[in-house]
Amino acid sequence: MRTTVGIIGAGPAGLLLARLLHNAGIDSVVLESRDRAYVERRQRAGILEQGTVDVLRAAGAAERMDREGLRHDGIELRFDKRRHRVDFPALTGGRSVMVYAQTEVCKDLIALQLKEGGPLLFEAEALAVEGADTDRPRVRFRHDGAEDVLECDYVVGCDGFWGVARRAVPAGLSRTFERTYPFGWLGILADVAPSHDELVYARHDRGFALLSMRSPSVSRLYLQVPEGTDAEAWSDEEIWAELERRFETDDDWTLQRGPITQKSVTPMRSYVHEPMRHGRLFLAGDAAHIVPPTGAKGLNLAVGDVVTFARALTHQRETGSAELLDAYSATCLRRVWQAERFSYDMTTLLHRAPDATPFDDRLQVARLDRIASSRAAETDLAEAYTGFPIG
């Protein structure tokens, strides 16, 4: 099997890249180790930056998002029982975000790929990337019980942190940067209408809490818990009671309860692999970087990566110049490190470390007070949250 671009992974990054390449008249093949049902139901991110929304619309992949997604023009910060709303459009010249789950993005892109795009092979396990430093890289993979080879001009690894793509970068050329956090997020899905019409980020002495949503009738909520927590160790009653404590305000706002349909714990870490390119192998999304979810950047960073690659390859085909392809890693990493910085800032602003002192607590409140009282500080948060420029 031969193609121009071999894409490993059918998450949002790989699927969007296939769509962008198809629209540019460039052929590709997507290899995904899981089956279609798994890809379409795995729960991940739910916040799309303005730039991601714009990319999906331009790619012809936004019809259902525009119909069912929830545009949000701000977030609410809570601390010391106080409430402060950050107004995105007023601070950013009109930018906003969209609440639309990653699962739904994948469903939309899969449908388009199967209808209009190149081959999308489910249950096709990539085994290795070979010849990345040659002009004919290839991907060895297993499909339908037999091994095969996908010969490419370029390989893009969108196969996540545990995938094979990054392993093809020689250890002597790699640098990794990492931070782990001593807490995680206990997340729930609940069949109840959201108790607020925008996301609520709460800083509390007992730990962080987040009120989010998946639809007008489904709430997504999170609690900061110690690292290694078992989600099933928390009863439904304990979860709702703790959420109520952490979201408490001085006014008459109340948290609406409902049946919990899913519980899980998400670990918190920051990770960057440099470079994001080796020869004709390009890394994108979680294969190259991970951010704690506090800043809602993971999916959006992956979109930035594949847009950068698609633009660069299109430029090379139209002009004969490999300048943008050669700059891929440096271009992406500028955006990646800004997202890492913002995600770290949001995490340390809102979460209480196990060894936090009263001094640390007062500093957190002072930082939140600064955002609530300074348009400059508030603007910095709004600009970062709604998204850094792509490319």
Side-chain angles (χ1 to χ4, degrees), residues 1 31-32 120-125 127 141-148:
M1 187 182 295
L31 305 176
E32 168 56 46
L120 166 54
L121 304 182
F122 291 103
E123 299 181 85
E125 179 188 5
L127 303 174
F141 67 99
R142 182 184 295 110
H143 186 236
D144 288 339
E147 284 198 19
D148 203 343

Side-chain angles (χ1 to χ4, degrees), residues 9 31 141 254 285 314 363:
L31 305 176
F141 67 99
T254 58
T314 302
L363 277 183

Side-chain angles (χ1 to χ4, degrees), residues 230-269:
D230 178 3
E232 296 306 319
W234 283 69
S235 70
D236 292 6
E237 173 59 33
E238 288 171 329
I239 291 172
W240 286 118
E242 190 63 25
L243 286 167
E244 287 172 347
R245 278 191 286 267
R246 298 189 193 183
F247 285 125
E248 186 181 5
T249 63
D250 279 333
D251 58 20
D252 59 357
W253 182 90
T254 58
L255 179 68
Q256 301 300 315
R257 297 188 178 199
I260 294 176
T261 59
Q262 185 182 109
K263 300 178 192 177
S264 62
V265 172
T266 302
M268 305 279 281
R269 66 189 307 218

Side-chain angles (χ1 to χ4, degrees), residues 31-318:
L31 305 176
E32 168 56 46
S33 63
R34 303 283 192 163
D35 62 27
R36 180 177 178 178
Y38 179 90
V39 174
E40 291 187 339
R41 69 171 180 262
R42 56 186 167 192
Q43 293 291 331
R44 292 292 189 274
I47 304 296
L48 308 183
E49 294 175 355
Q50 182 71 64
T52 297
V53 170
D54 295 343
V55 166
L56 289 171
R57 287 173 176 158
E63 180 183 352
R64 195 162 66 94
M65 178 196 73
D66 282 333
R67 186 172 66 250
E68 300 178 10
L70 306 173
R71 172 179 164 143
H72 280 205
D73 287 335
I75 58 173
E76 182 173 291
L77 301 175
R78 290 192 186 177
F79 57 104
D80 284 356
K81 300 184 181 180
R82 288 181 279 161
R83 307 170 64 178
H84 175 76
R85 181 176 184 268
V86 179
D87 186 332
F88 293 155
L91 296 163
T92 64
R95 295 169 68 83
S96 63
V97 297
M98 182 78 75
V99 175
Y100 191 63
Q102 174 176 313
T103 50
E104 307 310 312
V105 174
C106 287
K107 289 175 187 176
D108 297 342
L109 290 170
I110 287 171
L112 284 170
Q113 184 70 8
L114 294 177
K115 180 181 179 181
E116 304 173 5
L120 166 54
L121 304 182
F122 291 103
E123 299 181 85
E125 179 188 5
L127 303 174
V129 177
E130 301 172 340
D133 55 354
T134 72
D135 60 0
R136 289 294 175 90
R138 56 199 173 274
V139 182
R140 282 196 300 108
F141 67 99
R142 182 184 295 110
H143 186 236
D144 288 339
E147 284 198 19
D148 203 343
V149 174
L150 176 62
E151 297 180 342
C152 321
D153 293 332
Y154 305 91
V155 176
V156 182
C158 304
D159 52 344
F161 182 79
W162 301 107
V164 301
R166 193 175 63 251
R167 300 178 208 162
V169 181
L173 300 179
S174 298
R175 295 187 69 195
T176 58
F177 306 84
E178 187 170 12
R179 177 182 292 272
T180 57
Y181 299 86
F183 42 75
W185 279 10
L186 170 61
I188 65 166
L189 279 174
D191 286 337
V192 61
S195 300
H196 194 59
D197 55 2
E198 293 177 335
L199 272 68
V200 177
Y201 288 78
R203 185 265 169 208
H204 193 277
D205 286 343
R206 295 176 63 89
F208 168 74
L210 172 62
L211 185 156
S212 183
M213 64 280 296
R214 283 292 178 263
S215 75
S217 61
V218 177
S219 293
R220 183 75 161 150
L221 301 109
Y222 298 92
L223 285 170
Q224 177 188 342
V225 293
E227 181 183 19
T229 293
D230 178 3
E232 296 306 319
W234 283 69
S235 70
D236 292 6
E237 173 59 33
E238 288 171 329
I239 291 172
W240 286 118
E242 190 63 25
L243 286 167
E244 287 172 347
R245 278 191 286 267
R246 298 189 193 183
F247 285 125
E248 186 181 5
T249 63
D250 279 333
D251 58 20
D252 59 357
W253 182 90
T254 58
L255 179 68
Q256 301 300 315
R257 297 188 178 199
I260 294 176
T261 59
Q262 185 182 109
K263 300 178 192 177
S264 62
V265 172
T266 302
M268 305 279 281
R269 66 189 307 218
S270 302
Y271 175 88
V272 179
H273 178 280
E274 297 184 4
M276 290 176 57
R277 176 198 179 182
H278 172 59
R280 293 200 172 196
L281 167 66
F282 297 76
L283 303 179
D286 286 0
H289 42 73
I290 294 172
V291 289
T294 325
K297 291 288 165 234
L299 167 61
N300 297 290
L301 274 183
V303 169
D305 294 343
V306 298
V307 168
T308 300
F309 176 81
R311 286 177 179 170
L313 184 56
T314 302
H315 178 77
Q316 192 270 340
R317 287 170 67 93
E318 291 176 348

